[in-house]
Amino acid sequence: MTTISRIITVERDVLHRSVADAQEFRHRLAVRGTLVVQLISSPGAGKTSLLETTARHWQGKLRMAVLVGDIATARDAERLASLTPVVQLTTGGACHLELPLVERGFAQLDELDLDFLFVEDVGNLVCPASFDLGHHRRVIVLSTTEGDDKPAKYPKAFRTSQALVINKIDLLPYVPFSVESAKADALSIQPQLEVFRLSALTGEGIAAWCGFLEQERSRLLANDP
Amino acid sequence: MHERSLVNALLAQVAELARRERAVAVRRVRIRVGSFAGVETELFRLALKEARSGPLFADTDYAISDVPLSACCHSCGSHFDVSGFRFQCNDCHSSDVQIIAGDAVILEDVELALS
């Protein structure tokens, strides 16, 4: 007996379904007037500190909330809880967030009227770059203690971001980090990157960063009601 | 090791096709892995081997090909391979370029045994 076989052509991105779901989430949040900002970085670059300082800057003026992803523990959520509504997403070992977890977390914030929703990904410059979380902007945080060679080493994370935050500039006198060289490398990978130098600890540069986010939200409101 | 997530998404799609066609086995799955997909091909193969994919996949041949990262230039229209992650047109040096291939894992086709 001969076997019958059939070849079915697919020619599609393996992640096309999650991209379609992400598109829907992005649209849903845009309609509500909420700008979704995904933050990615290496562990310890200061994503949580940046969010704490941002929340203080906007206190009483703009409404934000945070979904914070970690492999284990709720420490980041505990740090943020006194400043902003926050939901801890625990990946249970996975090295990156995926949309279903983000959607489940957001369901807990669904009642809130928000101007900004931050999604703090797991600290990792590799895996998070491949997943669409339904964000409007992806921001990469690079700190001066990590070395200025990171853009060249993790090109995908930089290529897929719209803004680069160079954090811990208060430490520049003590570390061999060239802001110019990190910036030049990052811009050769993604010329459209908006670059911010700041210190989440001292607050230097925070006003420009928050101004950028406010402007991006205005653009969202203008383009996509 | 997000290769596992990609493998799970891939196998779910192939299994769905196989069910829809009432296939008795999946013979071959062809996949293109882009050099900028953020995937380590060897880890991807390993994740395929380790995946609990069920009896339909008992003798499946996974044909994986690597695809270079390529882009087209919005200024002069030329197509080129991106080398060294420098996103700049080889001809006119504009940086207004768009990736056209090599940044994803693509499921090309699936060969199913129907009886």
Side-chain angles (χ1 to χ4, degrees):
Chain A
M1 200 186 94
T2 48
T3 327
I4 303 170
S5 64
R6 174 177 294 167
I7 295 176
I8 298 173
T9 305
V10 183
E11 279 298 333
R12 238 185 346 202
D13 187 336
V14 162
L15 293 175
H16 73 276
R17 268 179 215 166
S18 56
V19 171
D21 291 347
Q23 205 62 37
E24 199 184 297
F25 184 76
R26 196 167 11 255
H27 180 71
R28 186 151 62 91
L29 275 283
V31 168
R32 295 169 63 139
T34 306
L35 185 81
V36 183
V37 181
Q38 180 194 14
L39 288 183
I40 62 172
S41 79
S42 319
K47 294 184 294 303
T48 309
S49 302
L50 177 63
L51 291 174
E52 286 174 306
T53 311
T54 304
R56 276 192 211 101
H57 186 85
W58 280 338
Q59 202 97 64
K61 286 178 280 187
L62 290 162
R63 299 150 304 179
M64 62 176 266
V66 180
L67 301 175
V68 53
D70 275 300
I71 289 176
T73 83
R75 286 188 192 166
D76 283 354
E78 286 158 10
R79 276 174 61 187
L80 287 162
S82 64
L83 294 162
T84 175
V86 56
V87 176
Q88 179 81 46
L89 310 174
T90 307
T91 66
C95 47
H96 60 276
L97 290 177
E98 290 188 41
L99 184 68
L101 197 55
V102 169
E103 286 183 311
R104 275 207 297 282
F106 181 67
Q108 297 180 48
L109 301 169
D110 207 23
E111 306 285 291
L112 300 177
D113 214 355
L114 296 172
D115 301 313
F116 298 93
L117 174 69
F118 291 95
V119 182
E120 180 183 332
D121 215 313
V122 177
N124 175 346
L125 282 179
V126 184
C127 312
S130 294
F131 294 87
D132 189 340
L133 300 183
H135 52 276
H136 298 107
R137 301 290 182 270
R138 176 178 281 166
V139 176
I140 184 161
V141 183
L142 173 65
S143 65
T144 59
T145 51
E146 289 166 65
D148 49 25
D149 57 348
K150 292 298 169 290
K153 281 182 159 174
Y154 300 95
K156 184 157 181 149
F158 285 83
R159 177 72 191 176
T160 58
S161 294
Q162 286 79 47
L164 163 65
V165 168
I166 299 178
N167 189 24
K168 307 189 190 178
I169 56 163
D170 51 307
L171 297 179
L172 278 175
Y174 315 104
V175 290
F177 183 96
S178 160
V179 171
E180 284 321 305
S181 138
K183 200 172 147 180
D185 277 1
L187 288 173
S188 82
I189 294 162
Q190 179 49 278
Q192 267 106 49
L193 272 180
E194 297 268 358
V195 184
F196 299 92
R197 307 160 39 127
L198 57 82
S199 165
L201 189 70
T202 66
E204 184 184 348
I206 285 294
W209 153 250
C210 289
F212 162 74
L213 293 174
E214 291 165 27
Q215 176 202 313
E216 293 302 290
R217 178 168 175 268
S218 306
R219 287 177 56 183
L220 178 82
L221 297 182
N223 297 338
D224 197 346
Chain B
M1 174 53 174
H2 64 295
E3 281 77 2
R4 213 173 282 151
S5 303
L6 292 165
V7 161
N8 289 342
L10 169 77
L11 294 178
Q13 284 160 49
V14 175
E16 201 179 302
L17 270 180
R19 266 198 307 277
R20 201 181 73 199
E21 302 292 327
R22 300 177 198 284
V24 293
V26 177
R27 290 195 155 157
R28 191 193 62 203
V29 177
R30 288 206 297 178
I31 306 145
R32 289 197 303 272
V33 175
S35 64
F36 203 57
V39 167
E40 206 48 67
T41 309
E42 280 319 303
L43 287 180
F44 192 77
R45 279 183 209 281
L46 186 70
L48 277 169
K49 215 164 95 182
E50 287 178 342
R52 268 169 278 171
S53 43
L56 279 175
F57 295 86
D59 290 309
T60 306
D61 167 35
Y62 295 102
I64 302 176
S65 51
D66 293 310
V67 177
L69 176 63
S70 62
C72 74
C73 173
H74 283 164
S75 300
C76 74
S78 85
H79 287 203
F80 58 97
D81 282 354
V82 179
S83 59
F85 305 118
R86 288 197 68 83
F87 290 88
Q88 202 177 54
C89 175
N90 286 351
D91 292 333
C92 74
H93 306 296
S94 162
S95 48
D96 185 11
V97 303
Q98 189 186 350
I99 294 175
I100 50 175
D103 65 341
V105 178
I106 307 284
L107 171 57
E108 280 184 72
D109 58 32
V110 178
E111 183 176 341
L112 301 170
L114 299 184
S115 63

